[in-house]
Amino acid sequence: MTNFGKLFKVFNRSKFATVNQLMLIELAVIAVSLIWNLIWGNLSQMSVLGTVSGWSGLAYLVGFILIARRAENAFTHDTYRLIPAKDTTFYLANLVSSLVMFLYLIALQVILHLVGIGIAWSQISPELDGIMRLRDISSAELAKGIMLVVLMVLALFILALTTITLIHLTVSATNSFLPAAGKRVVDAILYIVVIVLVVRLVAFFFGQVNQLMTTLNLQGTTNMVLPIIGMLVLAALESVLNIFLMKRWVETVAN
Amino acid sequence: MTNSLTMQGVTYKRGMKTILHDVDLTLAPGKIVGLLGTNGAGKTTLMRLITGSAKGKGAIAVADHSSEAERKQHVSFSEQLRGFAGNVKLNRIVAFYETIYGDFEAERFADLADFLQIDTELKLAALSKGMKEKLVIALTLARRTDLYLLDEPFSGIDSMSRKKIINSIIQWKPENATMVISDHYVSEIAPILDEIVVVKDQTVYAHRQADEIREEFHIGVEAYYESLYERGNDHD
C-alpha cells in the first residue's frame, strides 16, 4: 500500500510547480509595475513595498484557486484514485499538501514584503515606532496579533478547501446516481448554500482583519480564537463527510 | 490456487439506469482473457468496478482481496493519464508511477519503452494517440501484479505495431497473472486468448475457454462471438 509520505510527495509535486509558475508571473508583473513607475518618475523608496502589497492579494487569490483545482483534480481522476491507499490517507495527504503549498506561497509573499520593507525601512521605521507608542503596543503583542491573523487565514483556507471538496464530491456523486431532474435540484440547492457561505465567511474574515488593522485593538484579537476553533471543527466535520462520499459514491471520470 | 478475480452478484446503475446486473465472474490465474462486447455494452464499466473507479453493489475480490484499497494494489489498469497536465515530461510520469506503486519495476518499464520506441524526454501533449496508448501499455505492464486490465489498448496504434505488441504480450505477463483485454479487433487478439468473456444484455452473457469453442463448435473465437449476436443463444 502507498503510504502517507509517498502520497504527500506526489500531491506536492504538481502544486509546487503551479505555485512556482505563479510566483514567476507575479515577479514579472512587479518588475513591469516598477519600470512603469520609473518611466513616470514615481519611483520612491516605498515603491517596491507598495507594488508587492498591491499584487500580493491577487497572487493569494489565484494561488488558492490553482491549489484547490489541483487538489480537486485528484478526487475524480484515475491517475490518482487508482493509487493503492485508504481513502482517509488519500484525502488527508491531499489536504495537508494543499495546506503546505499555501504556506509556501505565504512564505514567498513574506519574503517579497521583507525585501520591500528593507528598502523602505528608513521611512517606515519612525512611523511604526510612532504608531506603537501612540497605541501603547509592545512588540510581543504585535507578534501575537500577526500570528492570530495568520492562524485565521490558515483556518479559513482549510475550511474553504474542505467546503469546495464537499461541494465537488456531492455534485460528482449526484451526477453519477441521480436522474437529470434530481441533479438540477441538488445543483440549485448547492449554488444557494455556496453563495450564502462565501458571503458570510468573507464578511466575517474582513470584519476581524479590519478591526485589527484599523484600530490595532489587540485585546480584540482574543475574540478571534473561538472562531478559529469553530472553523477547524467545521472543516473536520466536512472532511468526515468527504471521506464517506469518496468511499461510497464518488466515481472517477471514465477512460 | 487463488483466483485472480471473483465477482458475485455485481450490479451497477448510473442515473437510475441499469448498466450491469447480476454479474458473476471468476477468472483463474495465468490466463489471457478477451473481454468482448459491442460499444456501450459495459466492458469499461466492468473494469472500473474491479478497480473501484465505479461504485456498484455486490462482491468483488482480486487475488482474494476484497477491500477497494487492497484490490488496487493487485490490479494494474490501463488508465489514460488524464490527471497529468500536457506539459509534463514522460520521465516525470514514470517517476510518479515508481513513487506510488511498490510493484512498479523501472527496468521492466525501460525494456517496454525500448520495445515500443517511447522517448521519455517528450512531453505528454507531444504524443500522438497511438504513442500515448503505447505509453499507457508500458506503464500498465511495468507493474508486477496479479491482474492486468487493458481497456481497448490498441486503439489508435498502427496495425504493424498492434501485431507486434499482441504477439509479444505473453512475454510481458508474469506467469501467474491474468490479463483481461477488451478490444474491437477480435480477430487480431483471438490467437493469444485462453478465454473470452462476452458482455451482452447488461451482464456476463458468456464465459468460455477458447479451446472449448474450437473443439465444441468447430469455429474460431471471432465467429463464435459474432454468432452470439446473429443467432442469439444458439451456442449456450
Side-chain angles (χ1 to χ4, degrees):
Chain A
M1 298 279 262
T2 308
N3 61 29
F4 182 91
K6 285 178 177 172
L7 277 166
F8 180 74
K9 191 176 165 187
V10 293
F11 284 137
N12 264 356
R13 232 177 245 166
S14 60
K15 290 171 192 164
F16 184 66
T18 302
V19 173
N20 287 340
Q21 280 168 3
L22 174 68
M23 281 308 296
L24 284 177
I25 293 169
E26 190 189 356
L27 285 173
V29 170
I30 289 168
V32 169
S33 300
L34 290 174
I35 291 167
W36 186 259
N37 280 343
L38 181 68
I39 291 167
W40 289 97
N42 297 329
L43 201 64
S44 68
Q45 269 188 312
M46 291 293 287
S47 291
V48 175
L49 184 59
T51 310
V52 167
S53 299
W55 288 112
S56 192
L58 189 62
Y60 280 123
L61 181 68
V62 175
F64 169 73
I65 292 168
L66 293 176
I67 290 169
R69 195 167 150 254
R70 288 274 179 206
E72 295 310 308
N73 185 37
F75 292 118
T76 48
H77 282 82
D78 272 336
T79 303
Y80 292 95
R81 285 298 297 277
L82 286 175
I83 297 173
K86 290 193 169 138
D87 289 321
T88 310
T89 316
F90 183 98
Y91 178 84
L92 289 176
N94 198 7
L95 183 65
V96 172
S97 101
S98 297
L99 182 63
V100 167
M101 281 304 113
F102 193 66
L103 281 170
Y104 172 60
L105 179 65
I106 292 176
L108 293 173
Q109 296 302 319
V110 167
I111 291 168
L112 281 180
H113 275 86
L114 287 176
V115 171
I117 289 169
I119 293 168
W121 185 246
S122 59
Q123 274 191 28
I124 295 172
S125 179
E127 285 177 31
L128 197 64
D129 284 348
I131 291 168
M132 288 180 74
R133 234 177 285 122
L134 192 71
R135 301 279 179 184
D136 195 23
I137 304 162
S138 68
S139 300
E141 279 176 322
L142 187 67
K144 185 186 160 198
I146 291 169
M147 203 183 78
L148 276 171
V149 172
V150 171
L151 278 178
M152 169 76 88
V153 170
L154 291 181
L156 198 67
F157 175 79
I158 293 170
L159 182 60
L161 269 188
T162 56
T163 306
I164 287 170
T165 304
L166 182 60
I167 291 160
H168 177 210
L169 297 189
T170 306
V171 169
S172 174
T174 54
N175 280 350
S176 301
F177 297 103
L178 285 181
K183 282 178 210 167
R184 280 195 291 273
V185 171
V186 172
D187 288 353
I189 293 168
L190 281 172
Y191 286 137
I192 295 165
V193 170
V194 170
I195 291 164
V196 171
L197 266 179
V198 168
V199 169
R200 292 208 66 158
L201 276 174
V202 169
F204 168 77
F205 175 71
F206 281 107
Q208 293 290 320
V209 173
N210 195 38
Q211 181 191 2
L212 185 69
M213 294 301 171
T214 56
T215 65
L216 280 175
N217 177 10
L218 291 171
Q219 280 72 35
T221 56
T222 49
N223 299 334
M224 288 167 78
V225 175
L226 208 59
I228 289 171
I229 292 169
M231 281 194 277
L232 291 176
V233 169
L234 188 57
L237 289 173
E238 285 185 346
S239 295
V240 172
L241 263 175
N242 287 336
I243 293 164
F244 173 77
L245 283 170
M246 277 175 73
K247 262 189 188 144
R248 295 288 173 88
W249 300 100
V250 177
E251 300 189 341
T252 57
V253 179
N255 251 356
Chain B
M1 203 176 223
T2 308
N3 284 322
S4 291
L5 174 71
T6 313
M7 299 177 87
Q8 284 177 327
V10 175
T11 295
Y12 176 76
K13 290 180 180 178
R14 193 172 171 87
M16 308 294 267
K17 189 185 165 203
T18 302
I19 308 294
L20 289 170
H21 66 84
D22 303 311
V23 172
D24 293 318
L25 179 64
T26 303
L27 299 179
K31 306 285 183 187
I32 298 180
V33 182
L35 183 61
L36 311 177
T38 54
N39 287 332
K43 304 186 293 293
T44 301
T45 302
L46 189 74
M47 287 187 172
R48 283 166 49 77
L49 284 164
I50 296 167
T51 61
S53 301
K55 312 281 182 187
K57 285 178 183 162
I60 303 172
V62 176
D64 273 356
H65 298 280
S66 54
S67 85
E68 232 180 72
E70 283 176 333
R71 272 187 352 237
K72 287 173 186 172
Q73 178 73 45
H74 294 270
V75 176
S76 186
F77 179 55
S78 60
E79 75 95 8
Q80 293 298 308
L81 310 172
R82 293 219 175 99
F84 293 108
N87 63 356
V88 174
K89 276 193 173 183
L90 303 194
N91 50 25
R92 301 288 295 181
I93 296 175
V94 177
F96 174 92
Y97 266 69
E98 262 190 288
T99 306
I100 59 166
Y101 294 113
D103 54 11
F104 186 86
E105 294 179 5
E107 204 176 314
R108 198 168 147 86
F109 176 81
D111 290 342
L112 277 154
D114 193 37
F115 176 72
L116 297 169
Q117 295 172 309
I118 299 167
D119 178 1
T120 54
E121 288 302 313
L122 290 174
K123 287 183 176 176
L124 189 59
L127 300 185
S128 65
K129 190 170 187 286
M131 277 311 291
K132 191 179 167 196
E133 283 300 337
K134 286 181 182 179
L135 172 68
V136 168
I137 291 171
L139 289 168
T140 308
L141 299 183
R143 286 182 62 195
R144 194 174 282 277
T145 189
D146 294 302
L147 181 64
Y148 294 87
L149 302 176
L150 302 178
D151 186 17
E152 294 183 15
F154 310 116
S155 57
I157 298 179
D158 62 276
S159 63
M160 289 281 283
S161 300
R162 212 159 55 219
K163 281 174 191 158
K164 191 176 149 192
I165 296 167
I166 291 167
N167 292 333
S168 69
I169 224 155
I170 296 167
Q171 101 185 52
W172 302 110
K173 186 182 82 64
E175 198 182 344
N176 288 324
T178 288
M179 189 179 279
V180 180
I181 308 170
S182 84
D183 204 8
H184 294 298
Y185 304 102
V186 183
S187 57
E188 285 183 11
I189 60 166
I192 63 164
L193 298 180
D194 297 310
E195 297 175 4
I196 62 159
V197 171
V198 180
V199 181
K200 187 174 176 276
D201 299 339
Q202 301 166 332
T203 193
V204 169
Y205 187 82
H207 179 197
R208 293 271 190 179
Q209 307 274 334
D211 290 343
E212 187 185 284
I213 292 169
R214 289 182 200 108
E215 283 165 22
E216 200 175 322
F217 306 117
H218 306 290
I219 53 175
V221 165
E222 189 181 16
Y224 172 79
Y225 167 60
E226 284 170 0
S227 74
L228 293 178
Y229 288 89
E230 285 162 8
R231 294 193 295 273
N233 206 9
D234 284 357
H235 296 305
D236 286 304

